[in-house]
Amino acid sequence: MLSKRILRWLALAGLLVNSAVRLLSGCASILANRIVTPPNADGPQTTPSTRAELIERMGLQPGSIETNTGDLAFLKMPAKPMTIGLTAQFATSRDGVQSAEIQMTFDPDSTRAPYSTPAGTVISLHGFGLEKESMPGYASMFADAGFDVYMVDLPGHGESSGEFITYGLRESQAIATLIETLRGQQVAEPLIVFGVSFGAATAIRAAAISKDVDAVLAMQPFENPLEVIPNFRHRAPAYLRWAISEYTMEKAIAKAERKAGFDFEQARIRPLLDNYDTPTLLMHSAQDLLVPVGQSETLATTTAPVSELLVDPDGMGHQSFPVDVGQRCHEMLPWLAETLDIDLLGDPCTQIVTFDEIRESDQNI
């Protein structure tokens, strides 16, 4: 017969197990919400005053269209000479959380004559959890090269409508609608879609759906979101990572699918690429742990020979890689000029881009 002491210990153990199960279940629910709840669920991310200042200073033109996800907001930057500068300093805490101090300058350049005719049109798509106002550095680069640029808020981000994040599934349909709308307005050709990370995956899907894109520039795209989402554990503080086990992630992903009403397998890009014929430049860091370079390698293999993959071996992390606008400029603009046989109007790659410090500990983020 069990003693009262043993019974008390068993009861306490049962209580602890029950509490742990409830904790992990709650953790899965929180993760599920983080996976599919859009960042603008509580309202636009950028304050109206900041947006107004950006619009006035850079001569941007606000607009929106109706899509399958609701209103899709954008800011148009007309082709014009621009000045671009960047200073960035990166650091990583002992918990592995990356921080960056970035100073960027991008202003119209009145010392050069305005452009009379655009060299083409670029649709610019931001990364996960960001917004169109995070892209003026690249927009300025393209505008200086002679392109009209549409900086877009992906569904559920910034000023765009959207109840859930679906990792390119519904977002690409919205961008395909924008492509169709711009084509109907006879915007300057060629029409190019440029995206970073989540935006890059959406760009490739949109090109595959619409069949009306002249080229895609895809920086750090994912082919399969199910292989990427668990890597978000790297961004959690160390004291929380113990609770985010593989089982917890699987449970969270299942809850996220039910909440948003879609299947993550449907968000894979590869099934769309059997007849993909859009020239595509893929850019990735070999040291990216959040979206590993294997995601781009899969896409490059599937879309060959119309795609080209450029891999940076020098240890730039997922958040650092896009910040190096100067290096990415030297990769993208010459490729566009040669692939599409177009003459660029400016030379933004000559702008000074300076990194004050990139510490080694930043390499694996």
Side-chain angles (χ1 to χ4, degrees):
M1 195 169 185
L2 295 174
S3 68
K4 291 182 178 180
R5 178 176 293 181
I6 294 175
L7 288 173
R8 283 197 296 269
W9 277 110
L10 288 174
L12 178 58
L15 179 62
L16 291 174
V17 169
N18 183 57
S19 298
V21 169
R22 293 179 65 183
L23 174 63
L24 293 177
S25 177
C27 181
S29 296
I30 293 171
L31 284 172
N33 288 332
R34 293 292 298 272
I35 289 170
V36 295
T37 300
N40 69 357
D42 296 323
Q45 300 150 267
T46 297
T47 62
S49 59
T50 300
R51 185 178 298 109
E53 180 184 354
L54 191 67
I55 289 172
E56 181 178 0
R57 180 161 60 88
M58 303 184 71
L60 306 179
Q61 302 166 9
S64 68
I65 64 166
E66 181 68 24
T67 73
N68 63 304
T69 60
D71 290 334
L72 192 72
F74 58 81
L75 291 171
K76 178 185 177 183
M77 179 185 290
K80 56 188 169 186
M82 298 289 296
T83 59
I84 308 163
L86 168 66
T87 300
Q89 181 172 347
F90 294 91
T92 305
S93 71
R94 284 181 292 181
D95 288 338
V97 179
Q98 184 188 45
S99 62
E101 293 185 7
I102 301 171
Q103 268 192 322
M104 295 194 73
T105 58
F106 26 78
D107 294 285
D109 185 353
S110 59
T111 66
R112 289 181 283 161
Y115 301 147
S116 57
T117 304
T121 301
V122 174
I123 296 174
S124 173
L125 307 179
H126 58 76
F128 184 91
L130 299 175
E131 55 192 331
K132 61 185 182 298
E133 284 82 7
S134 69
M135 302 296 283
Y138 281 105
S140 298
M141 180 196 80
F142 287 119
D144 193 55
F147 296 99
D148 287 338
V149 186
Y150 289 80
M151 295 186 289
V152 180
D153 274 331
L154 287 168
H157 295 69
E159 296 181 293
S160 291
S161 306
E163 190 175 359
F164 298 107
I165 297 172
T166 61
Y167 293 80
L169 184 63
R170 296 170 189 157
E171 292 86 352
S172 58
Q173 295 168 3
I175 298 304
T177 300
L178 175 62
I179 292 167
E180 181 182 0
T181 300
L182 295 181
R183 286 292 192 188
Q185 295 173 356
Q186 297 183 328
V187 295
E189 298 184 7
L191 192 150
I192 299 144
V193 185
F194 160 65
V196 176
S197 191
F198 175 39
T202 302
I204 296 171
R205 286 187 64 93
I209 292 170
S210 72
K211 305 287 186 183
D212 205 12
V213 176
D214 294 300
V216 170
L217 299 164
M219 192 180 299
Q220 305 165 295
F222 54 78
E223 186 278 322
N224 184 357
L226 286 175
E227 295 179 355
V228 172
I229 291 173
N231 297 334
F232 278 77
R233 286 177 291 185
H234 292 295
R235 302 179 70 176
Y239 63 86
L240 287 179
R241 290 178 201 158
W242 68 271
I244 311 176
S245 64
E246 184 177 341
Y247 170 76
T248 304
M249 286 301 305
E250 290 176 357
K251 194 170 182 179
I253 288 170
K255 285 176 176 284
E257 288 180 326
R258 291 194 296 271
K259 183 179 179 68
F262 80 109
D263 187 333
F264 273 104
E265 280 293 329
Q266 297 174 338
R268 293 194 62 176
I269 301 176
R270 190 168 186 171
L272 299 175
L273 302 179
D274 287 344
N275 298 309
Y276 188 82
D277 60 359
T278 304
T280 300
L281 178 64
L282 301 159
M283 296 156 283
H284 223 112
S285 168
Q287 306 301 323
D288 188 340
L289 290 188
L290 194 59
V291 181
V293 67
Q295 297 290 310
S296 278
E297 290 172 343
T298 297
L299 291 168
T301 301
T302 310
T303 57
V306 297
S307 65
E308 179 180 350
L309 172 60
L310 297 179
V311 178
D312 185 345
D314 293 333
M316 296 289 283
H318 188 78
Q319 292 175 290
S320 313
F321 187 77
V323 175
D324 193 352
V325 179
Q327 180 59 39
R328 306 289 82 82
C329 180
H330 284 289
E331 294 167 353
M332 291 190 288
L333 293 187
W335 182 86
L336 280 176
E338 180 179 355
T339 302
L340 301 180
D341 192 23
I342 55 177
D343 295 324
L344 303 180
L345 301 183
D347 189 13
C349 297
T350 62
Q351 301 288 345
I352 297 176
V353 179
T354 303
F355 283 82
D356 280 351
E357 180 180 5
I358 301 177
R359 302 179 185 176
E360 287 190 12
S361 56
D362 171 57
Q363 294 179 2
N364 293 331
I365 300 302

